[in-house]
Amino acid sequence: MSEISYLDGPVLKPLFKLLHKSYLGTGFVWIALKAVERIGNGAHPHGRHGQRIKWTSFKRLILTGQSHLDAAWRWRTKQGIIKARATIKKALEHIDDVPGFTFTQPSPQYYQWMKDYYPNLYAKIKKGVKDGRFILFGGSWVESDTNIPSGEALVRQRLYGQRFYLKEFGKMTDVEFLQDCFGFNWNLPQIYKKSGARIFGTGKLFWNKTTKIPIGMCHWESPDGTKLPMIHIHFGYFIPMNYGKEYPLIYLLGKPGKQLVASYQTPAKVFAEWRSREYMLENVFGYGLGDGGHGPIEFEIAVVKILKRLYPKIFKYHQEGDFYAMFKKYFPRWATWRDEWYLDFHRGTYTSVARVKRGNRECENQLEELEKSLAIAQLYGYKFPQEGLEKAWKTTLYNQFHDILPGSSIPEVYNDYDLDYRQVMNFIYTQSEKVQRHLIKYLPIDQQKGKPIIIFNPLSWNRLGLIEVDIGSNSSGALRDRNGRSEEHTSELQSPNTI
């Protein structure tokens, strides 16, 4: 996608601005809205479930200006930074020009880019957040893949993301929103809720070809029993179609007082017995160009203004806290979902560009081990490298982005990844060597009695395992533990210099 969409170019942009500042476009938009209604209800004169879905059927639709932006995909990170700037700059212009307009952006990494490279623009973002026009969303450092990273890394995504929001804006967000990730692992409700989320949303599962979404909203319950409200949110302009033709069952509420605990193994007839014939007629109306960023263009601003003019009691600009507050009243009639959320559309993402998967796991594991050894060394006077450790973690977390780690980006993205990987591993090796040299000074070792071998178990439980040690030119001798117990090792030599 080009940086500036042709629909927002110098010819059409002034025309669309004229439309939303006058009544010229109202008739055209009304005709388009009626066409969407007609397609959604099809040939059913009374609707697909005894209720024709029209725009006037809805009690409330929250207008959410947004723009999904891939940090890297068909472009490298350096282009992603430029796209982020263009997207945010346009959103701030709309905030100035359009009364009530609000914008959401879910990745703290993008705010960090603005702070580092465009401080004047970042100052305007901070003002927008303070004024309630630029709404904090998400809370993970980036919209990462959620199936490949370790549990520790997923926690760190939230730790560094929410900490950034708290430090820079004085508050955290209570909505985690991952628009484009390739499926969602079953443990996420536990991680997200315990790091401040009150509700989770995504639109990615609408991409599925064979694994259809059985319910559009639920209490997602992780294996530990943590429940987090969840909503599947589709693009706003086609909401009557989604409720009607495309996904006619998923937004039906459960029968009052009837509970359902479901998974992908739940038979369709069980869902049918649980469902009422009553729709949840409040939802989110998201709008704005995405993937390459850009956000709401002038055409969309015109359409949204006309929607508010036609249906002023239904359409409302998004305000902080609206997501949870709007859906809360329906929670007693939502099912409980005990399963992952599986995406069948993107195949091969567990195997593509395997070196990235291997490197990610190395960085995750060794950063965690390093931090444990650093914590011990700090007790003995070692200066904890907080800034360096955080930078290494954030670099690792960034490369878990849902188009980098799964292997779906252009080759140049992985050239950049290789540089990041070497930088992180260099930090790990350098710090590990320094920590070992520091700690050994405090261990009660008599060098005259033999060569010391230090074994560190980074896990929080006792373990058994094989350890390979270079013993130099010694062909015999004894291994002694810290209590002096020895064991002959001549029969255990694996090579002339290794035991």
Side-chain angles (χ1 to χ4, degrees), residues 259-274:
Q259 303 296 314
L260 173 65
V261 178
S263 70
Y264 282 119
Q265 305 303 316
T266 302
K269 66 177 182 179
V270 175
F271 284 106
E273 292 170 355
W274 168 79

Side-chain angles (χ1 to χ4, degrees), residues 71-77 355-356 398-399 403-405 409-420:
W73 177 37
R74 295 176 178 175
W75 44 83
R76 298 167 66 182
T77 297
R355 75 178 189 274
V356 177
Y398 173 76
N399 284 294
D403 276 311
I404 299 178
L405 184 55
S409 291
I410 58 174
E412 290 83 356
V413 169
Y414 299 106
N415 295 335
D416 295 339
Y417 165 80
D418 291 337
L419 295 176
D420 285 345

Side-chain angles (χ1 to χ4, degrees), residues 339-354:
D339 210 331
E340 66 171 323
W341 284 105
Y342 172 66
L343 180 75
D344 64 32
F345 187 78
H346 296 313
R347 307 287 186 176
T349 55
Y350 293 139
T351 54
S352 299
V353 197

